[in-house]
Amino acid sequence: MSSQNPFLLSLGWSEFFQSSFEKCQLDQPATAFAAARVVGQERGHYRVMVKPELILEAVVTGKLHKIAKAGDAAGFPAVGDWVAITLSAGNRKAEIHHVLTRKSLVQRKRVGNKHQNQIIASNVDFLMIVTSLNEDFDIERLGRYVDLGQESGVTPVLLLTKTDLCLDSEAYITKINSKFPNVKAFAISDRDPGSLEALQVFFSRGMASVLVGSSGVGKSTLCNFLISGDSQKTSEVSTDSRGKHTTTARSLLLTRWGGLVIDTPGMQEIAVVGEVQAESFPDIEDLILKCKFTNCRHGADPGCAVVRALKDGSLENERWQAYLAR
Ligand SMILES: Nc1nc2c(ncn2[C@@H]2O[C@H](COP(=O)(O)OP(=O)(O)OP(=O)(O)O)[C@@H](O)[C@H]2O)c(=O)[nH]1
Ligand SMILES: [Mg+2]
Ligand SMILES: [Zn+2]
């Protein structure tokens, strides 16, 4: 594994990750690891990029699962992570043995679970805080996102979308500049490609960004422009009952300028600290999959993984109640 591997370099590999990788390899000389980057994650299933155009389904090894489980959510791989893998199933699947040391980590507190934070993205340079210039605009919430970026070691950037629908974008910009003098802010619209070209510096080769913000503000629309017609996009969106395309999983994509971007689901999933928002429960959904019966009612049914987890304390009752009340 050479640090000069052009493919790895184009994906953001550096000496920093190389040395973490070498350490894993030294600790386990009998296993030949390859480096890969986590580009997708949904409910305990991962997708890792191993080579250009080669994305494999991946799971964590039992050993890593055990170690991660004993700590907090940060022990599990997240989108953006570099990982040490081996190939399995005739090179069609990957097993993740180690998460390489992270350069940065954006994470959130979970509603109803003090011990399990929610990882938004790892190893990114910019936290792109997306808000549309309408009902969604909430300067206090933007402030919490800015704080989150700063606490995570990631530079926050404000993207004000849908300027085409707003008569006084200038007023918003003035307000934002006075409230956040040290944060760069851009007014953009997907109807105005020129406004998007201004973002090139953040999405160039060697840079990685994560898009966060409420549902419907235009994160995926921006992503679409950034990846310009990459077919991966469509696999990441599902149509909900109202016929709305909404992002359901995090994914890392290569931009037209050679940088990387991570799209995330909107606020239904990402709860801002201090705000009680509906959120997803991937840990509980994973548990439910382990119940003996598919129609388990998570009460008196035998072999219930939820009841077991509540008993052994790995699932807090508070979090289970939050799930039930969602
Ligand atoms: N007028 C206008 N509409 C836009 C703009 N950007 C996005 N939209 C529209 O806003 C709607 C929501 O956009 P998405 O990109 O799916 O929003 P999202 O932030 O990814 O939403 P979630 O995946 O649910 O978090 C779509 O109908 C877009 O066409 C814009 O600049 N101007
Ligand atoms: Mg989306
Ligand atoms: Zn059950």
Side-chain angles (χ1 to χ4, degrees):
M1 179 67 53
S2 156
S3 59
Q4 296 312 309
N5 179 325
F7 163 67
L8 291 181
L9 290 175
S10 74
L11 268 191
W13 185 254
S14 65
E15 287 297 328
F16 179 85
F17 300 115
Q18 177 77 23
S19 65
S20 176
F21 180 80
E22 280 167 6
K23 194 177 170 299
C24 293
Q25 191 59 86
L26 272 178
D27 290 347
Q28 263 171 280
T31 317
F33 292 129
R37 195 156 190 191
V38 178
V39 297
Q41 182 211 337
E42 197 168 20
R43 294 177 193 167
H45 295 275
Y46 300 93
R47 280 176 299 112
V48 297
M49 194 179 270
V50 189
K51 278 196 266 187
E53 312 298 313
L54 182 60
I55 295 177
L56 298 178
E57 298 278 322
V59 291
V60 298
T61 61
K63 193 173 159 197
L64 175 56
H65 192 267
K66 211 166 155 190
I67 295 168
K69 199 88 193 167
D72 59 19
F76 285 100
V79 173
D81 268 330
W82 282 100
V83 289
I85 60 155
T86 52
L87 299 179
S88 56
N91 294 351
R92 280 178 290 112
K93 294 205 164 167
E95 276 203 307
I96 302 173
H97 294 251
H98 299 283
V99 176
L100 303 188
T101 308
R102 291 166 174 143
K103 182 171 81 171
S104 68
L105 184 65
V106 184
Q107 59 175 343
R108 267 289 137 86
K109 296 212 172 66
R110 269 198 162 148
V111 177
N113 188 334
K114 295 176 237 41
H115 305 300
Q116 218 177 0
N117 290 343
Q118 181 180 30
I119 299 183
I120 299 170
S122 98
N123 298 324
V124 295
D125 304 286
F126 301 106
L127 180 73
M128 294 293 182
I129 304 161
V130 187
T131 181
S132 55
L133 294 180
N134 55 18
E135 318 83 64
D136 179 62
F137 190 85
D138 175 344
I139 202 140
E140 298 303 322
R141 185 170 29 157
L142 292 183
R144 288 191 287 273
Y145 271 119
V146 168
D147 292 345
L148 172 69
Q150 281 158 353
E151 287 157 17
S152 314
V154 169
T155 306
V157 176
L158 292 160
L159 301 183
L160 316 172
T161 60
K162 309 195 188 183
T163 51
D164 56 292
L165 299 179
C166 175
L167 295 173
D168 54 351
S169 349
E170 279 308 313
Y172 281 102
I173 291 275
T174 308
K175 205 164 157 185
I176 279 189
N177 286 339
S178 74
K179 174 106 179 172
F180 312 109
N182 302 318
V183 181
K184 288 212 167 74
F186 297 84
I188 59 172
S189 163
D190 74 328
R191 326 274 134 123
D192 174 12
S195 70
L196 302 175
E197 296 287 339
L199 303 176
Q200 178 163 359
V201 57
F202 304 105
F203 298 102
S204 299
R205 192 182 145 105
M207 299 292 162
S209 298
V210 59
L211 305 179
V212 294
S214 310
S215 185
V217 294
K219 298 179 297 295
S220 297
T221 305
L222 172 60
C223 250
N224 250 357
F225 166 81
L226 291 170
I227 65 178
S228 56
D230 192 314
S231 59
Q232 245 171 336
K233 159 72 172 56
T234 44
S235 65
E236 304 303 339
V237 295
S238 65
T239 307
D240 71 10
S241 52
R242 287 159 296 164
K244 200 178 94 176
H245 285 278
T246 202
T247 308
T248 56
R250 292 182 188 78
S251 53
L252 180 144
L253 307 159
L254 195 61
T255 73
R256 54 164 73 196
W257 296 306
L260 300 165
V261 63
I262 297 173
D263 192 9
T264 65
M267 284 286 282
Q268 305 103 315
E269 183 174 348
I270 296 164
V272 176
V273 176
E275 255 177 40
V276 181
Q277 291 279 343
E279 59 149 0
S280 74
F281 295 85
D283 51 334
I284 292 179
E285 283 159 2
D286 276 353
L287 264 181
I288 287 172
L289 289 175
K290 290 182 196 129
C291 291
K292 186 168 178 193
F293 298 106
T294 48
N295 61 349
C296 182
R297 281 157 300 174
H298 320 302
D301 300 288
C304 174
V306 172
V307 169
R308 198 162 55 229
L310 285 168
K311 270 195 191 138
D312 71 19
S314 58
L315 174 64
E316 285 184 359
N317 187 42
E318 200 186 357
R319 182 156 173 80
W320 175 240
Q321 294 306 325
Y323 173 82
L324 293 177
R326 78 201 184 282

